[in-house]
Amino acid sequence: MPRRAVFVVIVPIALAIGAAAPSAPPLFSSHELATLQLEAPFADLIEVGRENDEHSVVGTLKPDGGSRQGAAIENVRISLRGHTSRRETECAFPKLKLHFSTPPEGGLFAGVRSVKVGTHCGESAADMLTPRFGRLPNENSPFREAFVYRLLDALQVPTLKARPARITYVQTGGGQQPLVRNAMLLEDDDDARARLGADQEIEPNAFSNAKNEFKPEDTAQIAFAEALIGNYDWCLKFTADDTYRCDARRILWNVMALRGSGRTFPLIYDFDVTGMVAGRHLWFADVYNAAFVSSKSQAEVEVVGQLQRTRALFPREVLDASRARFMERKAEAYRALREAPLDEAGRRRIQEYVDAFYNAIGSDAAFYRPVVTAPNTLSYTTAERTAVVCQDRGAIPLGTAVSDPIATRGSMIQVTLLDTQWNWATPVKCPEIHKGAVWIESSAVGKDFPKTATTTNR
């Protein structure tokens, strides 16, 4: 008989931690489109601010597009923000941050000291990405990223609050036509910490690893969330010897470690190069093989790849609890997708990720798919073991996902491998893994990974 999953209900982090914390300000109490006008010397800001992190200019913000008399907020300090997005080769119009000398007492920005702005970045064609980091530099991007924040919020994954906006940028002194573009308003880090009841952020150089700092269910929650949205621009050192997409320089990347109410928990952010936002990843063919799934969908492969990675990190009770937690809010995820203002191509691509995610976690059969379970398993170019595939990379890591057999010859099966551990990732060149199929021992493949409690206790 098929094994029936036992799901453990865990109280969501945001509710457990933030019960007595401040609520979000009016700005983030709605997902309706906010219409603004921002007047400032943008040419000076962008030219000088690219090289000088401390540079800022003073401007005027008019909520409701400046249509209401007396609604203007004067002396707003405006600076550039971001890391790679500040580069001229990435964004012609970089991300912004607005600072209020005194928090407005009323209106849309009541109680807000500062707010981040996710801009349109550039004016590229619909699907053209920046060549270095794979951003989508046009005004489809901010609404898609605002949706990602909304989706995670609906799923009760700790992140920042966001709201889609339509901003008219007016160059001080005239001489240029106002620029009207889609944008995203994003909660400031300090406001998020207060809202979630955190009184401290652990700096990356003081952070050890997730196993020591976080509860397993909290870590699993964000690993599942990153898989859902197709995000690879993040890093969290899971254990002391974990090197997956992390190194000594980046133990935490686009992940905050927050401490409050007697616990430490993660918060994820910065999603402008996720699959849901950019639509695709330039590096895909150097890491994954689209033939792993019958649909050949890159979105599906990315989701399955990161989800299968979690099987090498967490015990079954944590995995099943995480699956249950996301399944319980499946309806909220799809409702958010229906209601969000998105370009149609973006909506279709995002739904690909959402569908792939819920299909992959919805049953034991889908989630606990075949993987390599035997140590020291090698892959070969032929059933006769003529040559080891990419021999310098060693054995296939435990937990590497395996497709259904393409062919069988004696004890050998021909399969497509999904590089869940990034063992053959760029700059490694391994065409047999990235583009083809390999031969392995059939006895090296199983579904009981991580092992069930009954198997472990025998």
Side-chain angles (χ1 to χ4, degrees), residues 3-4 6 316-317 448-458:
R3 182 168 42 80
R4 191 178 299 275
V6 178
R316 282 188 179 240
E317 59 268 23
D448 192 19
F449 182 87
K451 291 187 178 298
T452 59
T454 54
T455 304
T456 305
N457 293 332
R458 284 176 184 170

Side-chain angles (χ1 to χ4, degrees), residues 312-389:
L313 296 170
F314 306 104
R316 282 188 179 240
E317 59 268 23
V318 172
L319 294 170
D320 289 341
S322 296
R323 290 167 54 204
R325 193 170 179 176
F326 281 93
M327 290 301 297
E328 285 169 0
R329 302 196 65 79
K330 179 179 177 180
E332 284 79 358
Y334 280 98
R335 183 179 302 114
L337 179 56
R338 288 194 302 270
E339 295 175 353
L342 294 165
D343 63 288
E344 285 311 306
R347 190 182 303 277
R348 289 193 299 271
R349 192 59 161 169
I350 288 169
Q351 182 157 348
E352 252 190 282
Y353 280 94
V354 178
D355 289 346
F357 179 80
Y358 279 105
N359 289 339
I361 69 170
S363 68
D364 279 2
F367 188 77
Y368 294 108
R369 60 173 65 220
V371 297
V372 172
T373 57
N376 303 315
T377 298
L378 297 175
S379 57
Y380 300 90
T381 57
T382 67
E384 292 73 32
R385 310 185 191 195
T386 306
V388 176
V389 172

Side-chain angles (χ1 to χ4, degrees), residues 82-114:
H83 298 283
T84 58
S85 61
R86 299 166 73 106
R87 301 181 185 183
E88 193 169 1
T89 53
E90 281 293 305
C91 290
F93 202 107
K95 303 174 187 178
L96 307 175
K97 188 169 184 178
L98 312 183
H99 310 257
F100 304 108
S101 56
T102 302
E105 294 182 359
L108 187 63
F109 292 87
V112 174
R113 288 188 176 276
S114 60

